[in-house]
Amino acid sequence: MKPNPFAGAAGSPLLDVDRVTVRFGGLVAVSELDLDVPQGSIVSVIGPNGAGKTTAFNCISGIYPPSAGSVRFKGRRLERSFSAATFARAMGVGLLTGLLFAAAAVDVDRLWMAVVKRGMITGEPFTAAGAMDRLRGYFRAELAIDQMAGKWRVVSADGAEVLAIKRDLTEARRVRDALQAAVTARRIGPGTVPDSTDLATTPEPAASAPELPKLKEELLDRLAAGKRNVRWRGWAGLLAGWLLGTAGTIAVWQRGRRSPHVVARAGISRTFQNVRLFHNMSVLENVLVGLDRTIPGGVLAMLLRTPANRRGEDVARGRALEELEFVGLTGDAGRIAGQLPYGDQRRLEIARALATGAELLLLDEPAAGMNPSETVQLTGLIERIRNRGVTVLLIEHHMNVVMRISDRVAVLDHGIKIAEGTPAEIKRDEKVIEAYLGSEG
Amino acid sequence: MSQPVPGFVPSTAPPGRPEGQRKLLARCWKFLAQRWEWSALTILAVAPLVVPALGGALGGQVTTLFIYCILALGLNVMVGYTGLVHLGIAAFFGIGAYVMAILTVPMFPFQIGFLAAAVISVLVTAGVGLALGAPTLRLRGDYLAIVTLGFGEVAKVTLRNLEQITGGMKGLNPVPPPGAGVTVGGINLGQAFAIDPRWFYYLTLLLLAGVVVAMRRLEDSRLGRAWMAVREDELAASAMGISATRVKLSAFAMSSAVAGLAGCLYAASLSTTADPNAYDFNRSIMVLCAVILGGLGSIPGTLLGVALLVGFDTVLAPWADSWIQQMNINPTGSSLLSFSGWRLAIFGLALVLVMRYRPEGLVPSRRIAAELHSAEGQA
């Protein structure tokens, strides 16, 4: 007794594979594959070895991107869109990288010395406003005062050039101001337009002119060029870092646009041809990984074991046990997955896939390596899965399984779909027989 | 090859005892093995009250041991749970220590309290971990090992070359003890910490216990399972809706944060960051060896591994050396007759023996043991 297989066939199909091509270099593994999977049905894909069945599966489940064509699930292409959050993340990462690059470019060590250490030498309390002033001073390449062995020194902003040494702080300050005026005058020079910050920092001429050390012409030039230099380095670093960070984030986003976890979260789950369980985790834990998203709370909730988190874990555990019961592994919940017999491992993989709450289940040769009685059990299990409302897309070589439970069968050969129809139609199809047995003559 | 006895639990008591006594002994063993945390914690908490030596140099050595335990538990998140090889954990240890020092030393204007500095340095190291993890997400195995190794060296050289910030080869000191200037109940906490090593002993023990509890909870939660799933089979995990990217990044961040916490404690307990060479490749490898020796992915294993390896290095070796000197066995000072001369040879031999006879580590995690022995059964 079979329930109506085409329950949801009237509307748009659950999965719509539209002219999908997968190429690996020059090799065409799947060519212009069209496949509709109606809701609530069991559709099988068969074909000789190397026909591109598993490649098609990998393409549907997001492991390979299709070279051409599209895969739609419930009418949607399962791709992460370029959202505002993606944009914000790219900008944020870009800004952080930019700041890092800029810090390296303007010499973070000397910047630290100028901003933090010089704030400590005069004995005045360290304030944020003072630090900001010194930070601005560093980027204007203003001369500064430093201390060494009990004497005050007038130094360039980055501390690389020592211009004068004085015993007295006020004296040193006066020398600094006068030298700064000379440097600023040099920078502005004839023929250039002073900017607003230059005018603001040009000091009044001192009442009693201090004895100024004579600066060599090229040193004066170097000091005058300091402002442009440090700003140029800062902006260049910021820009380079920003470009790198933003481009990197966008590249990573683009690569993961249709990654398997996005597809899985949309409601497509799968098993693998060569069983891929988490071998060293317990059977229960394997299924719990499938239920990962149903448990609420972040790291902090897990560390504090908040009631919501604990409840979530308990509910998930209950559901995991239900799934194990559904596939008939109730007694094995505590065992290590890798120690189960082969047939049980396949059933555990199905339980894990079902636990994700998938609406479409892709089974890749579930009966491979099973004995006849296990195969019969599996056939029953697949029918029960369909009766739960989960649509099944199946790759299988056991023809008795395929012909018994499929609503539709598609036949692939050399990456091309050569036939599609009900099992009875497929059995009679000339091309299919030829693909499997070869043509006469 | 015979199956090794599961860690710590002898299946039978020595023969020749009456049945009842044997059962009692077995039950005691079982209790100890199941409740090892509580037994160990009780013993360690009572020890300073009973053993006067812990008030002296030994107390400081054991404190260092606890700090290494925290560091190794941090490394275990990446290497043990998530299966990402990390050869640069010492860099994060160092960054934690330096951030702590920058925020507290009198040389710089910040001079904030111990707790705030610890929180900030844990956050900073987690951030640095993310910054290292994000571009290297697609790497696995050897390639990731090379990247983390390189990062460790880069971090060390950077710490050495930023002389204005980190003090270059001199390091930053003095890092004030926790609670400097705070008086609670008539006790000046800062002074107490500076004078009596037992204060640090209890502080680090408390934090170690906290980290162990945190790790146990993570192990048995959504995130821990996701870490292990990614270790077992990244593709299958992502086909189950787990974002491998986020899971690996969280492992990077968690691992770095815990290492950073260990670094903070290290700087505070030594009252200096020491020079950047203290955070070099050797230290990373030492901690990695401890994790592997004890058992990847196993908390008691990691702790035991550190106790054996680092304890051997920092407690036993100096003690044996001073004993040899006291007994006047080695008057000429020949390195062949000093214990430290043989230290690395013993270390290496122990590792070779463990890898030969117990490849899953001394106290293996249930899962890894299953892996190794199922492979053996099939072979």
Side-chain angles (χ1 to χ4, degrees):
Chain A
M1 192 202 88
K2 265 189 184 178
N4 175 17
F6 295 107
S12 68
L14 185 67
L15 179 76
D16 175 12
V17 177
D18 184 22
R19 296 165 64 96
V20 161
T21 302
V22 183
R23 279 186 221 101
F24 298 108
L27 178 82
V28 181
V30 175
S31 171
E32 308 228 322
L33 174 67
D34 274 310
L35 188 66
D36 288 356
V37 180
Q39 178 130 34
S41 62
I42 297 178
V43 176
S44 295
V45 179
I46 63 172
N49 285 325
K53 306 184 297 285
T54 297
T55 306
F57 256 40
N58 285 345
C59 186
I60 293 169
S61 61
I63 295 171
Y64 308 141
S67 311
S70 70
V71 178
R72 285 169 191 278
F73 181 66
K74 293 200 272 187
R76 288 195 303 128
R77 296 172 74 131
L78 300 178
E79 285 179 344
R80 268 186 289 190
S81 53
F82 192 84
S83 61
T86 318
F87 180 75
R89 195 167 58 226
M91 289 297 131
V93 173
L95 189 66
L96 279 178
T97 328
L99 287 176
L100 198 70
F101 273 48
V106 301
D107 197 336
V108 67
D109 206 29
R110 288 179 166 164
L111 181 67
W112 178 272
M113 180 191 65
V115 175
V116 176
K117 280 193 159 174
R118 280 187 200 143
M120 301 283 291
I121 55 169
T122 52
E124 289 162 23
F126 188 91
T127 58
M132 276 314 288
D133 267 353
R134 285 188 296 279
L135 184 69
R136 251 179 257 129
Y138 187 81
F139 282 102
R140 284 181 201 146
E142 281 171 5
L143 301 187
I145 293 179
D146 210 341
Q147 196 185 31
M148 172 73 102
K151 287 183 185 162
W152 302 98
R153 309 185 307 172
V154 178
V155 294
S156 62
D158 57 7
E161 311 276 3
V162 180
L163 307 175
I165 301 177
K166 297 285 165 198
R167 281 184 188 283
D168 182 39
L169 181 57
T170 29
E171 176 83 352
R173 279 197 175 131
R174 222 177 302 150
V175 171
R176 188 207 80 98
D177 289 347
L179 285 179
Q180 181 64 53
V183 170
T184 309
R186 182 72 162 209
R187 180 169 71 235
I188 295 166
T192 52
V193 184
D195 62 31
S196 56
T197 58
D198 289 331
L199 292 176
T201 55
T202 310
E204 297 292 313
S208 60
E211 197 183 322
L212 282 186
K214 280 231 166 88
L215 299 186
K216 280 185 189 155
E217 288 293 304
E218 64 257 29
L219 177 59
L220 207 53
D221 277 341
R222 212 161 50 235
L223 291 173
K227 177 174 172 179
R228 225 182 80 191
N229 205 343
V230 70
R231 293 200 165 194
W232 187 84
R233 280 189 295 165
W235 283 117
L238 193 64
L239 185 70
W242 179 80
L243 279 177
L244 190 73
T246 311
T249 314
I250 289 176
V252 168
W253 164 81
Q254 200 179 12
R255 268 183 177 168
R257 275 198 89 170
R258 203 170 177 284
S259 65
H261 80 268
V262 177
V263 174
R265 286 178 184 192
I268 301 181
S269 192
R270 68 170 292 173
T271 65
F272 294 87
Q273 185 175 1
N274 44 343
V275 181
R276 300 188 81 146
L277 286 172
F278 308 125
H279 286 275
N280 301 315
M281 296 169 76
S282 76
V283 169
L284 185 68
E285 281 171 330
N286 263 276
V287 184
L288 281 172
V289 170
L291 288 160
D292 188 75
R293 273 172 309 133
T294 64
I295 303 166
V299 178
L300 213 58
M302 292 178 219
L303 286 176
L304 299 176
R305 281 278 148 91
T306 56
N309 180 256
R310 207 177 301 187
R311 223 175 305 124
E313 287 273 346
D314 287 345
V315 171
R317 222 161 272 264
R319 272 199 54 197
L321 287 171
E322 278 170 26
E323 293 296 352
L324 285 177
E325 197 187 335
F326 183 77
V327 299
L329 288 171
T330 316
D332 297 313
R335 289 178 71 183
I336 298 291
Q339 292 172 343
L340 290 181
Y342 192 68
D344 288 355
Q345 291 195 8
R346 286 217 172 269
R347 284 190 290 160
L348 173 56
E349 221 190 357
I350 293 173
R352 186 181 70 178
L354 284 172
T356 60
E359 289 170 66
L360 174 65
L361 185 62
L362 312 181
L363 298 176
D364 196 348
E365 299 199 23
M370 283 190 171
N371 62 34
S373 78
E374 281 175 330
T375 309
V376 171
Q377 263 189 357
L378 179 82
T379 316
L381 177 62
I382 295 174
E383 283 188 329
R384 280 192 292 135
I385 291 171
R386 192 257 316 268
N387 295 349
R388 261 171 72 154
V390 177
T391 310
V392 177
L393 180 59
L394 178 75
I395 293 178
E396 190 47 74
H397 281 298
H398 284 64
M399 281 309 147
N400 45 355
V401 176
V402 172
M403 296 303 165
R404 249 190 69 195
I405 59 174
S406 306
D407 298 314
R408 291 186 78 73
V409 178
V411 188
L412 286 189
D413 188 26
H414 297 295
I416 298 165
K417 188 172 80 176
I418 54 171
E420 187 177 353
T422 60
E425 288 165 5
I426 293 297
K427 267 187 214 169
R428 276 179 270 118
D429 195 294
E430 297 268 322
K431 278 196 205 153
V432 177
I433 295 168
E434 189 186 310
Y436 269 88
L437 301 176
S439 58
E440 285 178 67
Chain B
M1 196 184 122
S2 69
Q3 292 265 325
V5 185
F8 273 0
V9 192
S11 47
T12 51
R17 287 175 198 264
E19 187 67 15
Q21 205 179 340
R22 195 186 301 173
K23 259 189 185 163
L24 188 72
L25 236 140
R27 200 176 295 167
C28 284
W29 263 115
K30 207 174 162 197
F31 178 82
L32 267 183
Q34 279 173 352
R35 301 251 175 266
W36 63 269
E37 315 97 322
W38 292 112
S39 332
L41 189 63
T42 317
I43 292 169
L44 289 173
V46 175
L49 308 175
V50 184
V51 184
L54 282 173
L58 184 66
Q61 288 165 348
V62 177
T63 303
T64 313
L65 206 60
F66 290 158
I67 291 171
Y68 276 103
C69 283
I70 297 178
L71 179 61
L73 285 175
L75 181 63
N76 189 37
V77 170
M78 264 190 77
V79 182
Y81 297 153
T82 323
L84 303 168
V85 186
H86 194 333
L87 297 180
I89 196 73
F92 294 96
F93 190 51
I95 292 169
Y98 270 96
V99 173
M100 178 84 199
I102 287 170
L103 291 174
T104 53
V105 285
M107 191 177 156
F108 292 137
F110 314 107
Q111 294 168 24
I112 60 176
F114 174 80
L115 273 183
V119 169
I120 292 176
S121 68
V122 165
L123 291 179
V124 168
T125 42
V128 176
L130 283 180
L132 173 65
T136 57
L137 276 175
R138 295 165 68 85
L139 302 179
R140 292 212 81 164
D142 312 354
Y143 302 98
L144 186 65
I146 295 290
V147 169
T148 51
L149 177 107
F151 178 79
E153 290 303 296
V154 168
K156 189 186 82 182
V157 174
T158 307
L159 287 177
R160 194 166 64 206
N161 288 352
L162 292 179
E163 287 190 4
Q164 300 294 337
I165 306 179
T166 64
M169 289 304 283
K170 295 193 298 291
L172 287 174
N173 58 63
V175 180
V182 180
T183 310
V184 178
I187 304 171
N188 184 331
L189 276 184
Q191 262 174 20
F193 266 105
I195 293 166
D196 192 342
R198 277 177 290 193
W199 282 81
F200 254 114
Y201 179 96
Y202 279 117
L203 177 70
T204 45
L205 180 61
L206 190 73
L207 283 170
L208 174 59
V211 171
V212 169
V213 169
M215 288 298 153
R216 288 191 75 98
R217 287 186 165 184
L218 283 181
E219 230 179 33
D220 192 30
S221 70
R222 190 164 71 98
L223 186 60
R225 284 192 299 268
W227 283 338
M228 288 177 240
V230 167
R231 177 190 72 200
E232 297 288 305
D233 192 327
E234 193 176 328
L235 183 64
S238 62
M240 293 305 119
I242 285 175
S243 164
T245 314
R246 294 191 76 150
V247 168
K248 285 203 235 168
L249 275 181
S250 67
F252 259 104
M254 180 62 68
S255 195
S256 314
V258 176
L261 174 70
C264 289
L265 291 170
Y266 188 69
S269 74
L270 291 185
S271 87
T272 169
T273 58
D275 73 301
N277 286 336
Y279 308 102
D280 65 354
F281 180 59
N282 280 342
R283 186 150 302 195
S284 299
I285 286 295
M286 174 80 123
V287 179
L288 185 64
C289 283
V291 174
I292 293 172
L293 177 84
L296 279 172
S298 143
I299 295 171
T302 300
L303 298 181
L304 183 70
V306 175
L308 290 179
L309 280 196
V310 184
F312 171 75
D313 219 33
T314 63
V315 183
L316 189 67
W319 177 83
D321 272 337
S322 71
W323 183 79
I324 287 173
Q325 198 148 35
Q326 265 175 23
M327 301 306 279
N328 214 10
I329 295 173
N330 185 18
T332 55
S334 150
S335 62
L336 283 178
L337 277 176
S338 78
F339 188 78
S340 338
W342 291 94
R343 191 174 58 94
L344 288 177
I346 297 172
F347 185 83
L349 187 66
L351 281 184
V352 169
L353 288 178
V354 168
M355 287 304 111
R356 170 66 185 81
Y357 291 106
R358 272 185 89 82
E360 71 274 27
L362 295 174
V363 189
S365 94
R366 174 173 59 87
R367 304 180 176 94
I368 301 265
E371 175 183 28
L372 284 164
H373 290 297
S374 70
E376 207 167 78
Q378 282 159 16

